[in-house]
């Protein structure tokens, strides 16, 4: 539909009325002779309004005479009509032509780079490596070689396992996939101890190789040797070293505390809004406002961005807006018990994200105390069953 309208605009078209006793005969004859007519609208039983190309209109005289209708031009539209209107304004046309040439030339450069897929590696770090490989704002788009960029990035950025760059006009979308960390591999004949990665109380021991140095129920501190790779025989055989293998589960305690307000803010919109626009033009940002801060004391914000594209290709122009919605704030006083309950769940969720993968929460306790009339401090102590075994290689001279 869009392409059809663009075709009509480039060729120019007219909006006409056809009046007569039988205007339908006029349409039938035009259809038989291959003259395209569209947007037909019956104004009455004897009058039709429709659109026709300029070229097709020139063929209507004998058809109108044959079907006894009167054809009248209502409106002229399209590129040829615009050019005829401005043909005497040569300076305007020259400026328009120069603008189009500059616009086409500027779209041969990269003005926006988006990076997706980052989790542990920051987008800023990836953008820095991309710039070193030749992809940065202002780069000449025809010179961008995606395969060469991929190869150089994988060499310069060992944290990445895969990368792909998709050009879309003046925008490049770079998708990355991070490399999965390779576990540390030890020589099977290496001398390794198992030490405690954290403080805790031993709850379960699965020793596959090595000599246990602790027992169930022992309290250990970070760095203590749990399983030794030095095997000493009581039969007079010289000691030998092995690579210790074990899973040592201990009860580990974590503690978090934080202050929370008993006043819950309730925001109500007043209906007053303020919108600030920013125009992005080929890598430059033009702020269409004078004052950075909002005129409202309390507000909510909504952001929106519209990029100018043609057939899905970014043209280097975008309009961003930030809408500030004024609100009034009232406060509802909550009970200390309800705040402590919700806060305890929040702190426990944070602990779950911080402990080692595979750890199991076995017990927790929470308490709270008043700081002042409007604030309480919530403390949560949680016990996790966690594998604290950490293998460390011992240099040969240290084992002798």
């Amino acid at each position: 539909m869009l392409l059809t309208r663009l075709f009509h605009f480039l060729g120019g078209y007219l909006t006409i009325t056809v009046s007569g006793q039988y205007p339908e005969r006029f349409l039938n004859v035009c259809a038989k002779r291959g003259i395209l007519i569209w947007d037909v609208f019956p104004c009455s039983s004897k009058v039709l309004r429709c659109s026709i190309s300029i070229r097709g209109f020139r063929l209507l005289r004998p058809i109108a005479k044959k079907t006894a209708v009167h054809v009248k031009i209502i409106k002229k539209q399209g590129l040829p009509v615009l050019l005829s209107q401005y043909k005497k304004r040569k300076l305007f046309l020259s400026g328009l032509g120069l603008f189009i040439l500059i616009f086409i030339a500027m779209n041969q450069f990269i003005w926006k780079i988006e990076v997706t897929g980052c989790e542990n590696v920051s987008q800023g770090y990836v953008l820095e490596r991309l710039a070193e490989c030749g992809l940065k704002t202002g780069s000449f788009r025809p010179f961008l070689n995606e395969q060469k960029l991929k190869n150089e990035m994988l060499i310069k950025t060992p944290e990445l396992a895969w990368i792909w760059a998709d050009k879309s006009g003046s925008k490049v979308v770079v998708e990355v996939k991070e490399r999965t960390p390779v576990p540390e591999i030890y020589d099977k004949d290496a001398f390794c101890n198992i030490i405690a990665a954290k403080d805790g109380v031993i709850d379960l021991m699965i020793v596959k190789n090595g000599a246990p140095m602790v027992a169930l129920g022992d309290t250990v501190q970070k760095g203590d040797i749990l399983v030794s790779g030095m095997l000493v025989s009581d039969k007079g055989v010289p000691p030998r070293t092995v690579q210790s293998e074990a899973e040592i589960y201990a009860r580990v305690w974590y503690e978090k505390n934080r202050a929370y307000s008993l006043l819950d803010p309730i925001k109500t919109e007043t209906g007053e809004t303020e919108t600030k626009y920013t125009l992005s033009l080929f890598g430059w940002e033009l702020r269409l406002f004078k004052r950075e801060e909002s005129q409202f004391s309390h507000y909510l914000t909504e952001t929106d961005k519209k990029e100018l594209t043609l057939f899905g290709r970014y043209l280097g122009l975008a309009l961003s807006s930030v809408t500030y919605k004024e609100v009034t704030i009232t406060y509802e006083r909550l009970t200390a018990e309800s705040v402590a309950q919700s806060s305890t769940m929040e702190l426990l969720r944070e602990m779950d994200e911080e402990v080692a993968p595979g750890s199991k929460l076995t017990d927790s306790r929470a308490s709270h105390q008043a700081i002042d009339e409007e604030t309480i401090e919530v403390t949560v102590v949680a016990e996790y069953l966690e594998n604290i075994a950490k293998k460390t290689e011992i240099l040969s001279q240290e084992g002798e």
Side-chain angles (χ1 to χ4, degrees):
M1 188 67 178
L2 179 61
L3 288 176
T4 302
R5 291 190 176 276
L6 180 61
F7 177 78
H8 292 327
F9 175 80
L10 294 177
Y13 64 96
L14 308 172
T15 300
I16 61 175
T17 57
V18 180
S19 55
Q21 192 68 28
Y22 302 106
E24 296 83 2
R25 290 181 56 201
F26 170 82
L27 297 178
N28 293 334
V29 174
C30 287
K32 290 181 180 180
R33 297 191 182 185
I35 300 175
L36 179 63
I37 292 179
W38 66 95
D39 291 343
V40 179
F41 179 78
C43 299
S44 66
S45 60
K46 296 182 179 181
V47 181
L48 295 174
R49 186 175 73 241
C50 57
S51 297
I52 186 171
S53 66
I54 294 176
R55 183 178 179 182
F57 180 78
R58 297 187 181 124
L59 305 175
L60 293 185
R61 184 180 295 275
I63 299 175
K65 186 176 181 181
K66 180 179 179 178
T67 56
V69 297
H70 176 68
V71 179
K72 182 180 179 181
I73 298 175
I74 301 299
K75 191 175 183 181
K76 300 178 180 181
Q77 300 179 81
L79 183 60
V81 178
L82 292 175
L83 293 178
S84 65
Q85 292 176 353
Y86 290 101
K87 64 181 180 180
K88 295 182 180 180
R89 303 176 62 179
K90 297 181 179 179
L91 185 61
F92 173 80
L93 291 178
S94 299
L96 179 62
L98 180 61
F99 172 77
I100 293 174
L101 290 176
I102 293 175
F103 190 81
I104 294 174
M106 294 297 285
N107 270 277
Q108 300 305 307
F109 296 87
I110 302 298
W111 298 117
K112 186 174 183 180
I113 303 172
E114 290 184 358
V115 179
T116 62
C118 290
E119 294 181 2
N120 300 317
V121 179
S122 69
Q123 291 188 2
Y125 175 74
V126 175
L127 288 172
E128 289 178 3
R129 299 290 84 78
L130 288 170
E132 293 176 4
C133 296
L135 176 59
K136 57 185 177 181
T137 302
S139 298
F140 192 47
R141 182 162 53 89
F143 286 175
L144 178 61
N145 186 320
E146 290 92 335
Q147 187 60 45
K148 182 180 178 182
L149 175 69
K150 174 184 175 180
N151 295 338
E152 291 185 0
M153 278 294 293
L154 293 179
I155 293 173
K156 288 180 175 290
T157 317
E159 297 90 347
L160 302 182
W162 180 85
I163 181 173
W164 183 253
D166 181 24
K167 291 188 293 186
S168 177
S170 293
K171 179 170 69 174
V172 176
V173 178
V174 179
E175 185 178 355
V176 301
K177 184 176 181 180
E178 298 178 4
R179 189 182 301 276
T180 302
V182 179
E184 192 171 2
I185 300 176
Y186 296 92
D187 189 321
K188 64 179 182 179
D189 298 323
F191 172 25
C192 296
N193 288 337
I194 300 295
I195 66 172
K198 298 178 180 179
D199 300 346
V201 176
I202 304 299
D203 189 84
L204 175 65
M205 298 177 63
I206 305 174
V207 180
K208 301 175 183 178
N209 200 13
M213 304 299 289
V214 293
L216 296 180
D218 286 354
T219 300
V220 297
Q221 295 182 335
K222 180 178 179 181
D224 288 351
I225 298 177
L226 305 179
V227 179
S228 174
M230 177 73 70
L231 299 181
V232 180
S233 174
D234 56 0
K235 298 181 180 180
V237 179
R240 65 188 181 94
T241 58
V242 298
Q243 182 181 148
S244 299
E245 293 286 347
E247 294 180 20
I248 310 296
Y249 292 89
R251 288 178 289 142
V252 181
W253 287 268
Y254 295 86
E255 181 176 334
K256 275 183 174 289
N257 59 75
R258 189 174 300 159
Y260 290 90
S261 174
L262 297 178
L263 301 180
D264 182 32
I266 300 175
K267 299 179 180 180
T268 305
E269 295 185 17
T270 65
E272 296 293 327
T273 62
E274 177 189 18
T275 305
K276 299 180 185 292
Y277 296 95
T278 301
L279 178 65
S280 300
L281 177 64
F282 302 126
W284 291 280
E285 288 195 350
L286 179 61
R287 295 181 177 179
L288 306 181
F289 53 87
K290 295 181 179 179
R291 183 180 175 183
E292 182 73 25
E293 301 81 10
S294 172
Q295 62 177 333
F296 305 129
S297 301
H298 304 288
Y299 54 83
L300 300 174
T301 60
E302 287 185 1
T303 59
D304 185 33
K305 187 172 186 178
K306 292 182 172 60
E307 296 179 347
L308 181 61
T309 60
L310 180 62
F311 306 121
R313 297 170 63 87
Y314 179 59
L315 299 180
L317 299 175
L319 184 65
S320 303
S321 65
V322 179
T323 300
Y324 299 88
K325 297 182 177 181
E326 185 184 28
V327 296
T328 57
I329 301 180
T330 56
Y331 294 91
E332 177 185 4
R333 187 177 181 86
L334 305 177
T335 63
E337 288 71 21
S338 64
V339 173
Q341 183 178 7
S342 61
S343 303
T344 298
M345 299 303 296
E346 176 186 326
L347 295 176
L348 282 174
R349 284 194 297 268
E350 292 181 6
M351 289 183 184
D352 284 338
E353 295 176 357
E354 295 172 1
V355 299
S359 300
K360 181 181 179 181
L361 177 65
T362 57
D363 190 20
S364 66
R365 62 180 184 273
S367 61
H368 65 274
Q369 61 180 0
I371 297 177
D372 54 41
E373 293 182 355
E374 299 178 352
T375 313
I376 64 170
E377 182 181 56
V378 179
T379 301
V380 177
V381 178
E383 177 187 285
Y384 284 84
L385 187 62
E386 186 174 343
N387 184 5
I388 64 171
K390 179 181 179 182
K391 183 183 294 187
T392 58
E393 185 173 0
I394 308 302
L395 299 179
S396 58
Q397 61 268 26
E398 294 179 358
E400 293 178 352

